[in-house]
Amino acid sequence: MGKEGKIEIYRFLACIFIMIGHYVFYMHSELSIPFTVSFQFVEFFFLITGFFTARHFDVKWDESNKLSELMIYHLKKFTRFLPYTIPAIISVYCLESLDYIQAGDITGMFINLKDIILEVLFLSVFRMGEAHLFIMWYLSAMFVALPILMIFFTTKKRYLKMVICLILPVLYYFLSPDYALQNTINQLLRAFFGMMLGGGIYYLSGVIKEKKIPKSLKWIGTVIFAVAYIIPIVLSYLNTYYKIIYVVCFALWIIMMMSDLTVLKPVHSKVIEFLGEISMPIFIWHIVVFKIINRTGFLQNHHWHHPVHTKYRIIE
């Protein structure tokens, strides 16, 4: 059986939206187009990662498993990204090295290159500044935070796990002044609690599945699913940022779908599954492409710069 198409198409669209936002931030800050405010879709990826990680350990883990097997699973989960991340990271450092060479600063070039080790090892979140391949913060934060969650997911107290995984992330998202702040502590907390919430959704959906749900309620669930599925896309199109609403919508439609609370059938499509599969390589490489475009001058008068806050409507 293939992957659920409703998740895979959202995965692909989320990547596209985030790339549009990065294009405006990095390449053309004065451009006014839809989906400039799209960073909140990163939360969707955290939720999905947490959901499927919790499911893995719920289904395939028992007392006979050793801690070493957990770490092997963790490493395999991230080494599959290496064919994409290593060439992309090397490309960014090569572009930066060209700038140093042209400036005649060979010493500066070698000092700059030292950061590549942490980046390749998914540890760039521990750097004082941002990763040279900026989006590596996302994989790095997950790489560091996920083992703690996996150990927690292996515990047997299912209802306790569910309560903790639902309450703590809610507190984080409501109490955090801005969960998108790009600093080491917040990046780790954002990844940790986002994935924890995904685990909580898995345990909750398992409890709901055990209940017999009338079809009338499933129709209501279908409406909730559709509305929650669409609202983040519409709000991002309008460049409107609500602090919490995106996370709530992501959680709602995943719960509805994974708890069989809708009348919708699973969607299985090789085309949609392919789009889901290529979303991560595209996501990893898009910053490199922007840098190359900027360097070649393909888009004149656009200069690479660090992202700045653009004009968007913030609603608490």
Side-chain angles (χ1 to χ4, degrees):
M1 183 179 292
K3 296 179 179 179
E4 169 57 67
K6 292 187 283 295
I7 290 179
E8 296 307 299
I9 194 63
Y10 217 84
R11 194 195 302 271
F12 178 74
L13 290 174
C15 278
I16 297 299
F17 300 156
I18 293 170
M19 287 190 292
I20 292 172
H22 283 171
Y23 174 79
V24 174
F25 285 161
Y26 284 113
M27 299 290 290
H28 200 333
S29 61
E30 298 304 315
L31 190 62
S32 179
I33 58 174
F35 302 113
T36 299
V37 182
S38 52
F39 59 85
Q40 63 280 345
F41 282 93
V42 173
E43 259 51 47
F44 165 71
F45 293 107
F46 287 144
L47 262 63
I48 288 298
T49 300
F51 182 97
F52 288 113
T53 302
R55 187 178 74 173
H56 172 84
F57 286 101
D58 190 47
V59 173
K60 297 187 176 183
W61 190 269
D62 57 40
E63 294 178 355
S64 65
N65 293 107
K66 299 177 181 178
L67 184 62
S68 59
E69 294 175 77
L70 182 149
M71 297 310 300
I72 291 172
Y73 169 79
H74 176 249
L75 292 175
K76 283 183 177 179
K77 195 175 185 70
F78 285 87
T79 52
R80 63 193 174 99
F81 298 130
L82 291 178
Y84 316 124
T85 57
I86 290 179
I89 292 168
I90 291 174
S91 297
V92 166
Y93 279 85
C94 284
L95 290 171
E96 292 175 352
S97 294
L98 286 175
D99 292 332
Y100 280 103
I101 291 172
Q102 289 176 351
D105 186 4
I106 304 301
T107 301
M109 181 189 73
F110 283 109
I111 293 173
N112 186 65
L113 286 173
K114 74 179 188 309
D115 296 331
I116 198 171
I117 298 174
L118 286 178
E119 214 147 329
V120 168
L121 296 176
F122 299 110
L123 297 174
S124 59
V125 73
F126 292 121
R127 288 193 65 248
M128 292 300 293
E130 66 182 34
H132 292 239
L133 180 59
F134 171 67
I135 49 83
M136 283 302 295
W137 79 263
Y138 161 74
L139 287 174
S140 179
M142 285 203 303
F143 181 77
V144 174
L146 194 55
I148 303 171
L149 273 177
M150 290 193 298
I151 293 172
F152 178 66
F153 289 156
T154 60
T155 60
K156 296 301 180 182
K157 298 185 181 297
R158 186 182 184 86
Y159 281 94
L160 179 62
K161 286 190 294 185
M162 182 181 72
V163 171
I164 292 175
C165 286
L166 293 175
I167 291 178
L168 292 186
V170 168
L171 291 175
Y172 167 73
Y173 283 114
F174 274 97
L175 297 178
S176 173
D178 182 1
Y179 62 77
L181 286 175
Q182 291 297 325
N183 60 62
T184 296
I185 294 176
N186 194 65
Q187 287 173 345
L188 290 171
L189 290 175
R190 184 181 179 187
F192 182 83
F193 286 115
M195 292 187 292
M196 175 178 274
L197 181 57
I201 291 171
Y202 169 74
Y203 298 124
L204 177 61
S205 62
V207 172
I208 296 173
K209 271 187 176 182
E210 296 173 355
K211 313 295 181 182
K212 187 174 182 179
I213 309 298
K215 194 163 187 180
S216 58
L217 287 181
K218 288 193 174 187
W219 277 106
I220 296 174
T222 304
V223 173
I224 294 173
F225 167 85
V227 172
Y229 197 89
I230 294 171
I231 281 179
I233 297 174
V234 173
L235 292 179
S236 186
Y237 176 85
L238 297 173
N239 291 330
T240 304
Y241 168 50
Y242 289 81
K243 179 183 173 184
I244 300 296
I245 193 66
Y246 294 92
V247 180
V248 172
C249 286
F250 297 148
L252 268 179
W253 75 254
I254 295 171
I255 290 171
M256 295 297 114
M257 184 180 67
M258 294 302 191
S259 303
D260 294 333
L261 285 175
T262 75
V263 297
L264 301 174
K265 301 295 183 183
V267 175
H268 299 296
S269 165
K270 289 186 178 180
V271 174
I272 294 177
E273 189 170 332
F274 171 74
L275 292 176
E277 287 292 331
I278 66 172
S279 61
M280 181 57 80
I282 291 174
F283 183 67
I284 290 170
W285 271 92
H286 78 275
I287 296 292
V288 181
V289 173
F290 291 169
K291 281 181 175 284
I292 292 174
I293 290 174
N294 184 70
R295 184 175 182 82
T296 58
F298 180 74
L299 298 175
Q300 296 298 322
N301 301 321
H302 297 166
H303 302 286
W304 184 267
H305 56 277
H306 291 294
V308 296
H309 288 293
T310 56
K311 297 176 182 177
Y312 59 84
R313 185 180 173 202
I314 302 180
I315 302 176
E316 294 295 339

